[in-house]
Amino acid sequence: MKTEKVNYSVQQTARYGQPLKRSKSPNFTGNLISVADEITNALPAKNILKKMKNLEWMKGEAGGILITALGTGLVAPIFIGFNPFVKAPKGATKEQKDDVRNTKLYTAMRQPISAVLAVLFQLGAQKPIDRVLDKVFNNAEYAKNLSINVDQSTLNGKSYLKTQAKQTLKEKGVKKPSIFKGFSEGFGKIRKERKEYNELVKTMVDEKAEKQLQQVADTFLETGKIRVGKRTLDNPTIARLINKQIDDYISDAKKLKINGNGLAFYSKRAKVLISNENRLREMFKDVPIDAIDKTSDEKTLQTLYKKTDTILKAALAKEKDPDVQELLKEILDKPEDIRASRISRTLQRIDTIKDSCDGHFDFDKYMNSMSLKNSELDRTITKLKLNKIENPAKATEKTVTDAMKNLIENCKFDSSNALSRTILHDTETFSPDTAKLTKKIYKDIAKVYKKFLESNYKAPNQIIKIIIGVFITLPITCNALNWVYPRFMEIVFPRLAGVKKNGGDK
């Protein structure tokens, strides 16, 4: 059954620790792509690197089990079977030498069988264990008996939400198409339907996670408390969450500063932009910036990207000024999906420069303007540092309330102040709108709290799995190996199995 039968709206889930966004920026900070993504896109091997992201799951437990099994099954047998330190005694007969060699090979063959059984039992046990642990830590009926610092019943973990989403779809008659249906219905069709199903599950998970996050933020804003079922998170813990968020805001403010090298580069670039303003605006007037921003249709986007590419290459071919040539080459070196954004930010930067120099570029004025911006950012950073709660362990409800009130005040800027407006406008961290800023900051604390829960969950999760592995999974695997291995060898390698029967290596 196709996944389109169930309709869910898509919401954009806010991300913890997201970089600052701005539409105008004195340091060319974009709002469409992260620095890491931009660096990746500039590398010659970007396609290979992007494909390698598909292997990220190998970082998890399943990946660890498989890597260990590969080492056990493929590498260990070589060193065991050809161990130079295990050999027949001096003066041994040919039969004795053959016996030693066969014994080593017999022992070596145990490793691949051990690896296969380990994968079967460990991977087979992993999913049920995860489901049980998810239920214990995320279901309110069970989680209320745990420490509040690991109780995820208010902000469910991603895997738990994923299981719930799949169960909801199953109840509505929507199941993930089996890959084996590809033999009868075509693999292209099945891959598409499986992709649609996965996207639907992701949408449901994101929606539920966003809703839960917003509920925690709203409750915190209304009551000054973070509630977990009928319990309330203690003030010292909330104080530490606030301090963590303040550190993130300080980091955001530092990203807006311009260092010495940046001052020299942007001053030179500012002169180029202002000197060639009219030509640049004429050069870029036909670039479909707005059209690219408004469409999500892939075919239309490709047409618009091609048009942008044609305009830029034609301009570069005609350009004689080496500084403008350098600017055009920089834009062309960007991935096609962010070239229009780069052009837009270049034109916006011209306006920002003119605002900084009262309408006309002046090198000294511009350098002074950037220095003033750095000083203003230093002042903002200092205020945020002073906003941190000095002794979280002794925090009271009033401590938390005052810290949040001061944090909102320190992240607010006066839109009538030209200097503050130039630096902080359109950033995610700072805003002149008190109501909007208040909701955002409380939600940011909720995000930090979610990360706090996820971090706390890792330790008990690993400890429980180790205990299960040592006392349940490992004994079962060893018993299975002791039963399977000699029988397997007798069937597949009867000559080597004879070594054991005839009193070879025990």
Side-chain angles (χ1 to χ4, degrees):
M1 183 174 291
K2 289 190 177 182
T3 56
E4 294 92 338
K5 290 187 178 180
V6 181
N7 182 32
Y8 287 88
S9 62
V10 179
Q11 295 180 350
Q12 180 65 38
T13 304
R15 291 172 293 176
Y16 171 81
Q18 189 174 14
L20 284 164
K21 292 182 180 179
R22 59 191 304 143
S23 58
K24 298 180 182 180
S25 170
N27 59 353
F28 289 96
T29 302
N31 65 348
L32 295 178
I33 189 166
S34 71
V35 174
D37 288 339
E38 194 158 350
I39 291 173
T40 300
N41 286 328
L43 295 174
K46 64 178 181 180
N47 292 329
I48 295 175
L49 293 174
K50 288 179 179 179
K51 287 180 180 179
M52 288 178 67
K53 287 181 70 66
N54 296 328
L55 299 176
E56 283 187 343
W57 65 273
M58 292 290 283
K59 294 189 295 185
E61 291 178 60
I65 291 171
L66 289 174
I67 291 172
T68 302
L70 285 172
T72 302
L74 298 180
V75 180
I78 297 174
F79 292 95
I80 295 172
F82 301 97
N83 187 347
F85 300 104
V86 177
K87 53 188 176 181
K90 189 175 181 180
T93 64
K94 183 179 183 302
E95 288 75 13
Q96 288 175 317
K97 291 180 180 179
D98 289 343
D99 183 63
V100 171
R101 186 187 71 250
N102 290 339
T103 298
K104 289 196 293 183
L105 293 175
Y106 180 88
T107 306
M109 285 303 299
R110 186 181 179 90
Q111 303 308 306
I113 307 301
S114 174
V116 170
L117 290 175
V119 169
L120 290 175
F121 283 103
Q122 290 182 36
L123 284 183
Q126 184 183 353
K127 200 166 186 179
I129 292 171
D130 282 335
R131 285 183 177 177
V132 170
L133 292 179
D134 276 346
K135 193 168 185 179
V136 170
F137 285 86
N138 289 272
N139 187 298
E141 286 301 311
Y142 303 107
K144 66 182 181 182
N145 300 311
L146 304 173
S147 165
I148 192 172
N149 289 339
V150 294
D151 184 343
Q152 296 181 311
S153 59
T154 301
L155 292 173
N156 296 149
K158 187 175 181 179
S159 60
Y160 183 73
L161 290 174
K162 192 173 181 180
T163 300
Q164 284 189 317
K166 289 181 177 180
Q167 182 60 35
T168 299
L169 290 174
K170 185 178 179 180
E171 291 171 359
K172 294 177 179 292
V174 180
K175 297 181 181 179
K176 187 173 184 176
S178 171
I179 193 67
F180 294 108
K181 290 178 66 178
F183 290 104
S184 58
E185 299 183 21
F187 287 102
K189 178 184 176 184
I190 294 301
R191 277 197 298 268
K192 182 181 178 182
E193 290 184 1
R194 286 170 66 88
K195 183 180 178 181
E196 290 171 351
Y197 177 88
N198 290 336
E199 288 175 349
L200 181 55
V201 170
K202 182 180 183 303
T203 297
M204 294 173 66
V205 168
D206 290 346
E207 282 186 341
K208 185 68 177 292
E210 176 68 13
K211 184 178 179 181
Q212 290 180 343
L213 198 66
Q214 191 61 58
Q215 287 175 340
V216 170
D218 291 343
T219 301
F220 186 29
L221 176 57
E222 292 167 8
T223 67
K225 300 179 183 297
I226 293 179
R227 299 194 183 279
V228 185
K230 295 181 179 180
R231 297 185 287 179
T232 303
L233 197 65
D234 61 274
N235 290 312
T237 300
I238 296 177
R240 284 188 281 272
L241 298 179
I242 292 172
N243 281 354
K244 174 64 177 69
Q245 187 56 58
I246 291 175
D247 285 336
D248 289 344
Y249 288 161
I250 290 172
S251 176
D252 287 342
K254 287 180 177 179
K255 291 175 185 176
L256 295 174
K257 292 188 66 177
I258 306 172
N259 60 27
N261 291 333
L263 288 172
F265 172 81
Y266 294 126
S267 296
K268 179 182 176 182
R269 177 55 56 86
K271 184 176 181 180
V272 173
L273 294 177
I274 296 299
S275 301
N276 298 279
E277 177 184 1
N278 294 333
R279 291 174 55 229
L280 289 172
R281 293 191 184 280
E282 179 66 23
M283 194 182 297
F284 297 143
K285 70 176 183 179
D286 294 325
V287 175
I289 298 172
D290 292 338
I292 290 174
D293 285 342
K294 292 176 181 177
T295 186
S296 58
D297 179 70
E298 189 62 32
K299 188 175 180 180
T300 303
L301 282 172
Q302 289 302 320
T303 301
L304 296 174
Y305 293 156
K306 187 175 180 180
K307 181 178 179 181
T308 302
D309 184 73
T310 301
I311 292 171
L312 289 172
K313 287 180 178 178
L316 180 60
K318 296 177 182 178
E319 187 55 49
K320 303 298 183 184
D321 188 318
D323 291 324
V324 177
Q325 285 180 348
E326 182 182 0
L327 176 63
L328 291 171
K329 287 177 181 178
E330 286 178 8
I331 298 173
L332 278 167
D333 284 341
K334 300 297 178 185
E336 61 181 12
D337 56 336
I338 65 170
R339 288 173 185 166
S341 172
R342 175 63 188 271
I343 291 170
S344 176
R345 286 182 286 135
T346 298
L347 296 177
Q348 289 168 354
R349 181 163 170 72
I350 293 174
D351 295 331
T352 302
I353 295 166
K354 292 169 71 175
D355 287 343
S356 301
C357 302
D358 301 322
H360 300 282
F361 178 74
D362 179 273
F363 181 82
D364 292 330
K365 273 188 178 181
Y366 189 63
M367 288 288 287
N368 184 55
S369 171
M370 288 194 288
S371 297
L372 285 175
K373 289 174 184 177
N374 278 350
S375 297
E376 180 66 15
L377 285 167
D378 284 333
R379 192 172 74 87
T380 299
I381 290 168
T382 300
K383 287 196 300 180
L384 287 170
K385 287 180 178 178
L386 293 173
N387 196 166
K388 294 184 70 173
I389 299 171
E390 289 187 13
N391 191 350
K394 294 184 179 180
T396 63
E397 187 173 338
K398 185 178 185 303
T399 307
V400 170
T401 302
D402 290 347
M404 291 300 292
K405 181 180 178 182
N406 292 334
L407 183 55
I408 293 167
E409 187 63 31
N410 290 334
C411 288
K412 180 184 176 182
F413 68 88
D414 184 0
S415 58
S416 64
N417 183 310
L419 181 60
S420 297
R421 186 179 66 250
T422 302
I423 305 169
L424 305 175
H425 69 104
D426 294 336
T427 63
E428 285 192 339
T429 301
F430 306 97
S431 172
D433 187 332
T434 303
K436 180 181 177 182
L437 190 60
T438 299
K439 290 181 179 180
K440 178 201 172 296
I441 289 177
Y442 275 88
K443 191 170 183 179
D444 283 346
I445 301 297
K447 294 176 189 178
V448 177
Y449 173 53
K450 185 175 178 68
K451 298 293 290 184
F452 168 78
L453 287 175
E454 291 172 352
S455 178
N456 287 347
Y457 172 67
K458 289 179 181 178
N461 176 278
Q462 292 300 318
I463 291 171
I464 291 170
K465 286 182 176 179
I466 289 172
I467 293 172
I468 291 174
V470 171
F471 293 102
I472 300 176
T473 310
L474 184 59
I476 291 174
T477 305
C478 290
N479 285 326
L481 178 61
N482 289 334
W483 187 89
V484 170
Y485 181 59
R487 289 162 177 79
F488 171 82
M489 293 299 289
E490 287 177 9
I491 295 171
V492 182
F493 300 104
R495 186 173 63 83
L496 292 178
V499 174
K500 186 75 173 177
K501 285 185 175 183
N502 295 330
D505 181 51
K506 303 295 183 187

